[in-house]
Each structure stands twice: as C-alpha cells, then as structure tokens.
Amino acid sequence: MSERKLLLGNDAMAHGLVESGCSVVASYPGTPASEILSGVALWRERYGVPMHVEWAVNEKVAFEIAYAAAQSGLRAATAMKQVGLNVASDPFMSAAYLGVTGGFVVISADDPGPHSSQTEQDSRLTAMSAKVPVLDPDSPDQARELIAAGFELSEAFRVPVMLRPTTRVCHANQDILPGPVAPSGRTAAFVKDPARWAATPVFRHKLHLELEEKLAGIAAWEPTAPRLLNPGVSSRKALVASGVAAAHAREVLADLGLRDVLPLWQVVQPYPLHTAFVERLLADYDEILVLEETTGVMELQLADRHRVKGKRSGFVPEVGELSPELVERLVAAFASIPAAPPGAPPTGGGGRPTLCPGCPHRASFYAIKRAAPKGIYPSDIGCYTLGLNLGGVDTVLCMGAAVSQAAGFYHAYKLSGQVPDIVATIGDSTFFHAGIPPLIDAVVQDARFVLVILDNATTAMTGNQPTPALGWGAGGVPTATVDMEGLVKACGVRFCRSGEPGNLPAFTALMKEAVAFARTDGLAVVIARQPCVVDRTYTGERPPKRAVRVSDACNGCRFCTTQFECPALVYDEETKRVVVDTLVCSKCGVCVDVCPRLAIEEVGK
C-alpha cells in the first residue's frame, strides 16, 4: 500500500512517470527540470522496474531517443527546460506530424521570471506552432497526475503531448499519495511503415491534415476539459486560469470573500482549448479575466478582445511571474473591490552572485586576462558565466555560441586587417552538448582564436550531473567514456593542451603560449582541467590543500578582491587591509600567486 510522501515537484513527476509504466526516459539537465531524470533513476532502483534512463548529450538527442521508443509502442518521455526545447525543436515539430504508437510525454519546464534562464519564453507557444497538445499543472501532485493523463491522451490520439510545469511547480514541495508502481508489461514492436515514419513532403501534407483532425478531437476530449472550481456561482464575470496562476486564484478568491461571487474555471489543457468551453464562455459571460504564465495562449484562442481582460488588453502584465500578491490585485480590480496595498520591496539586495571559493574557473579567467589583457571574451551557458564579474566574459548568447561567436568576431575583424586576441570559454558539458559542430566549422574556416574548455568534471550549475567523459550515467550506472582531447584533435585542432588552473603560474604560461599560437598558426584549444570544489560525487584526486594568510606587506590596494574576487578575501574597512575569512576559504592557495605585493602567503612556508 502506498504511503504519503513529501515530494519536490520534479520528484513527483518522476514518480508519475514510473507509476505510469514509462519505459524510456532521456533528458539533458537544465533548471528547473534537472531533478526529474535523477528522480526517475531513484524510483527505478527503489521499485526494481526495468527502464532505460539516461542523461543524453543534449535535448535534441534526448528527444529522439525517447521518441523512437514511443514509435516502438512503449511509453516514453523526455524532460528539459524551456530553452532546451529550442534545441529539440526540429524533431519536436516533425514528431507531431508523424505521431506515435506508444505514449510520448515531452516535459518542458518553463521559468517565468526568469530565475535561472536566458529567457522566460512560453513553451506553450512552441507547442501551438508544432500543433502539440499541452497540459498545464498547478501543483506537484497535479503534475504527477497529468503524467498519466498525458500518456492516455497521447495514446488515444497517437500524438506527442507536452506537460508544461513552471519553476514554482518543479521546486515546490507537497504531501502526495503516489500511485502503485508495476512493470508496464509492454515489449518494443516497431511496425515498419515508410509512408508514415519516413514520409516525403507529399505525404507530410496528408499527415498535416490528419493532425488537424486529431486536434479537433483533442479539443473535445472530456478527461482534460476545463473544470469549474466553484459551481453554483451566478455572475456575468468569470475567471479563467491555468498552471500556478489557477492555484493562486483559488486561494485569492477565498481570501477576498469572492468564492460565491466569481466563477473560477481551471484549464489544464490550454492548447487546444476545448471548443465547447470557448463557446460556453462567450455565451455565459460579459467579462472574462484570463490568468496564465507567461504569454496569452488561451487569450489567443478566445479571439474576443472586447470581452477578455488579460495580457493582450494590458490588464495583466506581459512580463514576469504572476505572484499571489499580483493575482490578488488583478482579481480585486476585476471584481471592483479594494485590494491590499502592495508590500514594500525588500531592502538590502545582498552581494552579487560569484564563483565559489576555490572554484578553478576563477583561476582560469584570471590567467586568460593575463594572457590576453585586451582580448574579446565570448562565453557560454554555465556557472562560469559568472566570469563576467572578473572581466573575463563579454558575450553570453546560448549553449555552444561561445565557439561560433569567437569565429564570428575573428572573421569580422579580419576584414579590417586588425584582429584582436579572442579567447572563448565553454564548460565541459556544454562543449559536448553544442560546442563540437561550431568547433569543426571554425577549423574548416581557419578562424584563429583560443577556446578554453573549462573541464570541472561535472555539469555543475544544474546539480552535478555527469558528462560523457566521466564513465557513469543516471543513477551511477557505468557508461563508456569519451576522450575530450581525442575528440578535439579529431575536429582538426592542431594545438590542444591541458593544464590545471590551480597551478596559476604554469597555467598562465600555457594560456600565453596558446594566444601566441592563435595569432599566427590557427585555432588553439586549452583544456582547463580541475574538479568542481562542491561536487561530492567526484572520487578522483584533488589538488592539495594550501592554507593562506595575509602578511603585514598588505597595503590595502584591493587588487585581490577586485581582480580575483574570491569570497574568502575580505577588505577590512577598519584596518584598511585584506583579511582571509577562514570559514569561507577552501584552501586552494591560488591567491598566493595573485597579490602583486606577495602579501598573501601559504601558511607554513
């Protein structure tokens, strides 16, 4: 018998996948979705369920692996964050036409705000473009329940189905009663049908017509129809909400004493919006307040701008989260009653984010600036983006763009005849994800710059998931390894050297050598190899600890705190000198080689 569990939203969805008989799950880590796959691996082991669970090299690959399983009649899923869906958009669009035989759920976790993303884009818009139905949960438990509903919908209409949780669903905790878990009992049975699975453009037109028919059926499918949460209310006004906004609206109506005044409709399938529901709304209500994150997807389908108050009308903000406080003000304004005044904004914003004490990336950026002080520094997506605090990051666009942009800067400046030093930085996981194709292109086009692969032996920013070079996968399962140096050289790179950033003098010398090579001979790659200081999964050898102290030679120039920015080095306003915060210091000892006055000393030397 199942027991109630306090589960993170991502763990709840993971349990939903396992209890729904999902056989294959593939993902690439990205906040807020990262814990879904690790949760699946955990539940798989706990229940002894046969499943294939993997961290794929990127979201496109993850999608295609899971989709093939759904083509074979199994239930399958892939999980990613909203910008990861961009990477998987090519197969996502095509899979909608081709359809599935087993159930296929695509979890795309959105990040309104955004809290940890380049954009706060709405995955539901991508689903509308692909013509894929979307389910929008309001809580961890509903997200778990909608996993099962998603598989049933997918199999009923033979289409992929998107589940779109947001950060507040993924990272909330809820007391949940999970369902029973049992093996699916299905076996893979791919039925060859080239006219469908390998359809040429003329057949794709037919598949598109079939997809439109499926969408019409989905727009009438009773299990995902909108629900009136407070039946019996008579009003010519109504609230329509989806996702977390529906949960907020439910609480706000109770707080404002409006549960018996305003009807509240919760929409769990914002696309396609149920046809009968749209007809009922427009027949029964004169004014409709639509609450949804982040774009007006339901508004677009209501197509009556005179009656609808939402993002398109300007009544609801188009940017940012719909917080409980904001929803309360919107509902109060809609009901023409006074609302509580907005609270005062928090004071004291705290310190800006910075790399961890002892992070090897800090030493890498310091060496880069020493080797190419007037260079251009394209960078990428990862915790090393914080190198911008150190003056070592000039651009951040998207996964893998550091390499392409470095090449672009080279070609642009070459036209003027004066090419500056260009040093790009990319993480090890990001390099495997999206850095290899642009590296090949840069070699072929003879772009001359330095690429520093910041290899800290993990995917650090999203929770220390493994990379293809480590030899273990989801749940600690052993895997084959990929030789990064061999891969780089196979791309045609002639200068490929590795070094340890913690040995700052030697690493700086290596960086200067690479910069000199790039100026005259071609693209150079430096692999900055040193493990992440907070990765508890790392079992290899770490650099020796080197405790430090600040001597009387310190004159308070602040070079170490401004140019190296280690949180353990603190300027004391009273003494006008730098001191070491021993509670924060990781004892990496790199700062010994940073102080221009040699005032930072290794203890015992």
Side-chain angles (χ1 to χ4, degrees):
M1 183 176 179
S2 296
E3 297 180 356
R4 300 194 72 86
K5 303 177 187 291
L6 183 64
L7 295 180
L8 187 74
N10 284 339
D11 284 331
M13 284 182 275
H15 201 286
L17 290 169
V18 177
E19 68 185 66
S20 296
C22 186
S23 297
V24 175
V25 186
S27 177
Y28 180 82
T31 304
S34 299
E35 298 88 357
I36 295 174
L37 189 103
S38 54
V40 172
L42 175 68
W43 299 124
R44 173 190 63 176
E45 182 178 353
R46 181 167 300 179
Y47 295 117
V49 180
M51 298 177 69
H52 175 75
V53 181
E54 74 160 86
W55 288 117
V57 73
N58 64 31
E59 294 87 355
K60 180 177 184 292
V61 173
F63 185 103
E64 291 161 352
I65 289 168
Y67 178 62
Q71 288 177 302
S72 303
L74 301 180
R75 285 188 167 182
T78 183
M80 60 199 70
K81 69 183 295 178
Q82 87 281 15
V83 288
L85 184 62
N86 298 340
V87 180
S89 62
D90 199 3
F92 181 64
M93 297 286 174
S94 193
Y97 278 36
L98 302 180
V100 296
T101 55
F104 186 38
V105 173
V106 179
I107 303 175
S108 182
D110 280 4
D111 187 23
H115 297 276
S116 59
S117 307
Q118 304 96 291
T119 68
E120 54 177 337
Q121 68 196 59
D122 193 327
S123 293
R124 299 175 306 161
L125 285 176
T126 308
M128 285 183 70
S129 180
K131 300 187 177 179
V132 168
V134 185
L135 304 178
D136 204 354
D138 67 3
S139 63
D141 198 31
Q142 190 176 71
R144 181 190 65 83
E145 293 173 349
L146 288 181
I147 292 285
F151 279 126
E152 292 167 6
L153 175 59
S154 177
E155 290 172 344
F157 293 93
R158 297 197 166 193
V159 293
V161 171
M162 177 186 287
L163 181 70
R164 198 287 299 246
T166 59
T167 300
R168 298 299 180 183
V169 171
C170 292
H171 290 168
N173 285 278
Q174 188 175 4
D175 186 28
I176 290 172
L177 181 63
V181 172
S184 69
R186 303 187 185 194
T187 56
F190 177 68
V191 178
K192 293 189 177 185
D193 184 1
R196 177 184 182 186
W197 302 125
T200 58
V202 69
F203 285 102
R204 297 274 174 153
H205 177 74
K206 177 177 178 292
L207 292 174
H208 191 183
L209 293 174
E210 291 177 0
L211 178 57
E212 292 293 344
E213 293 175 2
K214 292 176 181 179
L215 286 174
I218 293 169
W221 202 55
E222 184 59 30
T224 57
R227 296 182 300 151
L228 182 59
L229 299 184
N230 50 347
V233 179
S234 177
S235 173
R236 297 300 296 177
K237 290 184 174 185
L239 305 182
V240 177
S242 69
V244 172
H248 295 337
R250 188 165 56 243
E251 295 176 357
V252 162
L253 284 182
D255 292 343
L256 295 177
L258 297 174
R259 278 190 58 85
D260 298 326
V261 177
L262 288 176
L264 171 60
W265 291 90
Q266 181 182 9
V267 176
V268 296
Q269 181 182 289
Y271 176 80
L273 207 53
H274 280 66
T275 305
F277 173 64
V278 173
E279 294 172 352
R280 179 171 181 176
L281 281 181
L282 299 180
D284 291 355
Y285 304 110
D286 297 327
E287 290 185 72
I288 303 162
L289 173 59
V290 179
L291 300 172
E292 56 185 322
E293 293 177 329
T294 304
T295 308
V297 168
M298 293 189 295
E299 280 184 74
L300 289 171
Q301 297 169 84
L302 288 173
D304 191 329
R305 298 185 64 177
H306 300 291
R307 242 183 285 193
V308 174
K309 290 189 175 181
K311 294 175 180 289
R312 299 178 72 199
S313 70
F315 191 84
V316 179
E318 292 191 73
V319 177
E321 287 187 287
L322 294 181
S323 66
E325 296 79 12
L326 176 57
V327 170
E328 180 176 346
R329 293 199 298 274
L330 293 172
V331 171
F334 183 66
S336 301
I337 64 171
T347 59
R352 65 178 179 179
T354 187
L355 295 168
C356 299
C359 175
H361 299 338
R362 179 176 285 104
S364 294
F365 282 116
Y366 185 81
I368 287 168
K369 290 193 299 177
R370 294 291 298 274
K374 296 182 179 180
I376 298 176
Y377 310 129
S379 195
D380 228 291
I381 305 298
C383 55
Y384 50 89
T385 303
L386 292 171
L388 60 89
N389 295 350
L390 302 166
V393 170
D394 291 325
T395 68
V396 178
L397 181 62
C398 63
M399 297 283 277
V403 189
S404 309
Q405 289 197 287
F409 282 125
Y410 173 80
H411 295 309
Y413 275 93
K414 185 181 178 182
L415 293 173
S416 66
Q418 292 184 333
V419 180
D421 294 327
I422 302 168
V423 183
T425 48
I426 189 170
D428 47 346
S429 182
T430 309
F431 174 70
F432 287 119
H433 175 286
I436 299 167
L439 180 61
I440 294 172
D441 185 85
V443 170
V444 170
Q445 299 298 328
D446 194 26
R448 300 183 180 186
F449 59 89
V450 179
L451 173 64
V452 181
I453 303 176
L454 301 166
D455 183 3
N456 61 358
T458 189
T459 311
M461 188 172 71
T462 54
N464 296 118
Q465 294 83 9
T467 75
L470 296 182
W472 60 276
V477 175
T479 65
T481 60
V482 175
D483 174 18
M484 185 181 289
E485 283 90 339
L487 183 57
V488 169
K489 292 174 182 177
C491 292
V493 175
R494 291 181 289 120
F495 184 106
C496 178
R497 302 264 298 277
S498 62
E500 185 178 295
N503 186 347
L504 190 57
F507 190 76
T508 303
L510 173 59
M511 282 303 310
K512 290 179 178 180
E513 186 179 348
V515 169
F517 182 92
R519 288 171 181 164
T520 58
D521 295 308
L523 196 152
V525 172
V526 173
I527 301 174
R529 180 164 286 140
Q530 190 169 320
C532 173
V533 291
V534 299
D535 182 11
R536 296 181 180 179
T537 65
Y538 184 78
T539 57
E541 186 177 350
R542 291 184 180 272
K545 298 289 186 180
R546 300 167 61 199
V548 298
R549 69 181 186 89
V550 180
S551 74
D552 293 338
C554 176
N555 67 349
C557 71
R558 301 196 192 192
F559 182 88
C560 61
T561 59
T562 59
Q563 300 300 308
F564 195 60
E565 202 188 59
C566 177
L569 298 175
V570 181
Y571 182 75
D572 188 331
E573 292 287 351
E574 191 172 308
T575 64
K576 307 299 181 184
R577 288 177 48 186
V578 169
V579 295
V580 177
D581 185 341
T582 56
L583 294 177
V584 175
C585 181
S586 68
K587 299 181 176 62
C588 71
V590 176
C591 56
V592 170
D593 298 307
V594 171
C595 178
R597 295 180 61 84
L598 305 179
I600 303 178
E601 304 172 338
E602 188 172 347
V603 174
K605 287 192 176 181

